[in-house]
Amino acid sequence: MRNRLNLGMPQSTASAANIANNNGSSSQQDATTASFNGRSNHKDTLQIQRDFFAILSLCLAGVVIFSQMGFHTAVDNTSIPAGSGSGSRLATSEGDCALFFGKYNGEQYYSPESGSVGKPKCLLESKWMKVSQHSVKFPGTDGVIDDWLWVDYHDRINVLVEMETQPGDERQFFVFQQTKYALEGRQSLAIIGGIIEPGESAEAAARREVDEEMDGIQCTDFHFLGRYRTDVNRGVGWLNSFLASGCKKNPKHGKHQFLEDEVGAADTEKQTMKTISLSRIQRATLDGEFIEAQWTATVALALMHPTSRIADQST
C-alpha cells in the first residue's frame, strides 16, 4: 500500500520520512530518498507549469470579460479612430465590437425569412468586413443556434474583358497572370475584380475597375451575368459577374482618378496583362488555371452567355 505524503512538509522530506519508517537500512533510505527527490523536483516543475497556464487562462478570460463590459485603459482612448483602416482597440462602449480596426460601411445581413432572431453580436470590425455572432432558428424547427458565425463583406464584381476583333477572327480576351496572398505562392490566370464601393451600382463598379486595372482600355457593353452568394452558410458578400465586350485601347484616355476614401485599394501584387484566345481560355478554365472559384465561375458564365454563342456561330 502506498504511503501518504505529509502535506505539512516538503514532498521530498515527507517521502524520506515515510521510507525511513518502513525500512531499517540507512543506505536504502538514502538511495530511495534521492530517487524521491528527483521525482519531487519533476512534479514541482509540472505544478509550476500548470499554475502558470492557469494564471494565463484567467488573465485572458479577464480581458474578454472586461472588453465585453466596456472597461478600457488609457491606451484605448488614444486608439485609431473609426474608418481609418489601421490599428485596433478593445471595445469601449455598448454595441462596439470586441476588436475594432475601422468602420465597416457595407451591407449587413439580417433575414428573419431565413431564420435570423435577436440582435447579432459584433466580434470584429474593419473597413473590409464585419464578423458577427448570429442566432438562427430555421423555419419549421424548434431549436435556436446561438453561435452562428457570419461574415459581412463588401459585394464584389468580376469582369471578363473581351477584345474588339474583326469578323472571322478568333475571339480574344484580356486576362492577368498574377498571384494572390491565399494562393500558396502559385501563379494564376485572373480577371478584373474589385469591391462595389458604398452607394455604387454593380455596373458602375465594373466599369470603374476596368478603367483602373486595364490601363486605358474602354469597353462599349457590359453584360450582367448574375449575382451570386459567395458562401451560403457564412455570407462573405455577393459576387456580381460581367462580360465586357467591344473593348479596345483608347490612346486619348487619361489617367484614372481613384475615388476618395476608396475601400478597395489598387492591387499591390505584381500582375501582367496578356491576351488569350477563345480556345486557350476554354482549355485554361477546364484545366483549373483560374485558381480562384469566383474567377472560374465568371469566365464560365461569360463563355456561355448568349452574346458569346452568337459570336461563336458567326465565325
Side-chain angles (χ1 to χ4, degrees):
M1 179 176 179
R2 186 176 300 172
N3 291 321
R4 295 180 180 176
L5 296 178
N6 183 352
L7 300 180
M9 65 182 74
Q11 202 170 33
S12 59
T13 306
S15 300
N18 288 330
I19 293 170
N21 290 334
N22 293 329
N23 299 283
S25 172
S26 60
S27 60
Q28 182 180 1
Q29 172 185 337
D30 293 340
T32 306
T33 301
S35 175
F36 267 74
N37 278 335
R39 289 198 294 271
S40 174
N41 291 337
H42 178 65
K43 290 179 180 179
D44 289 344
T45 301
L46 291 177
Q47 186 61 46
I48 291 172
Q49 292 176 344
R50 293 192 194 101
D51 291 344
F52 170 78
F53 285 112
I55 294 171
L56 179 61
S57 299
L58 288 172
C59 290
L60 291 174
V63 169
V64 173
I65 293 171
F66 272 67
S67 69
Q68 292 177 347
M69 293 176 62
F71 291 101
H72 58 282
T73 64
V75 176
D76 295 322
N77 293 328
T78 61
S79 61
I80 305 297
S84 65
S86 60
S88 65
R89 63 174 175 82
L90 293 177
T92 59
S93 64
E94 184 178 356
D96 279 351
C97 290
L99 287 175
F100 184 86
F101 294 88
K103 180 66 176 175
Y104 173 75
N105 292 315
E107 295 290 332
Q108 299 184 49
Y109 186 75
Y110 188 84
S111 176
E113 297 80 7
S114 294
S116 300
V117 294
K119 181 180 179 182
K121 178 183 177 182
C122 183
L123 304 176
L124 179 149
E125 183 175 6
S126 76
K127 71 173 185 176
W128 294 98
M129 69 181 68
K130 191 171 187 178
V131 181
S132 303
Q133 178 182 340
H134 284 215
S135 294
V136 178
K137 181 180 182 297
F138 290 114
T141 64
D142 296 327
V144 175
I145 304 172
D146 59 6
D147 59 351
W148 193 283
L149 295 184
W150 184 264
V151 181
D152 287 307
Y153 191 89
H154 296 276
D155 292 349
R156 295 165 310 287
I157 58 90
N158 271 179
V159 187
L160 176 61
V161 177
E162 182 175 357
M163 292 175 58
E164 185 177 65
T165 55
Q166 297 299 317
D169 291 345
E170 185 177 15
R171 296 166 62 200
Q172 302 286 324
F173 301 88
F174 290 110
V175 297
F176 296 111
Q177 185 81 39
Q178 67 178 89
T179 188
K180 285 285 187 180
Y181 178 66
L183 295 184
E184 301 170 331
R186 294 184 290 170
Q187 289 286 318
S188 174
L189 292 181
I191 58 176
I192 293 287
I195 283 175
I196 300 175
E197 297 293 329
E200 188 178 35
S201 70
E203 182 173 331
R207 291 182 177 276
R208 174 181 53 77
E209 289 289 347
V210 169
D211 195 33
E212 286 181 5
E213 296 192 32
M214 284 292 182
D215 192 25
I217 290 174
Q218 293 184 301
C219 306
T220 56
D221 298 304
F222 281 73
H223 309 280
F224 180 59
L225 305 175
R227 178 174 178 261
Y228 305 93
R229 173 61 83 182
T230 306
D231 188 314
V232 294
N233 285 320
R234 304 303 171 193
V236 201
W238 294 83
L239 170 68
N240 296 265
S241 297
F242 288 87
L243 167 65
S245 59
C247 305
K248 60 182 180 180
K249 182 80 171 180
N250 181 0
K252 296 182 179 180
H253 183 67
K255 186 176 181 180
H256 175 79
Q257 298 297 318
F258 288 90
L259 297 176
E260 185 177 357
D261 298 325
E262 186 173 329
V263 176
D267 284 336
T268 55
E269 299 96 341
K270 182 179 179 181
Q271 57 184 24
T272 304
M273 191 169 70
K274 58 195 299 185
T275 59
I276 186 171
S277 67
L278 174 62
S279 57
R280 175 71 180 88
I281 198 171
Q282 289 173 332
R283 175 49 55 189
T285 305
L286 291 173
D287 289 346
E289 294 185 49
F290 293 93
I291 300 178
E292 191 196 47
Q294 296 176 89
W295 297 335
T296 300
T298 299
V299 171
L301 287 166
L303 296 180
M304 292 188 294
H305 188 265
T307 300
S308 299
R309 289 200 292 268
I310 292 172
D312 290 342
Q313 292 170 4
S314 66
T315 59

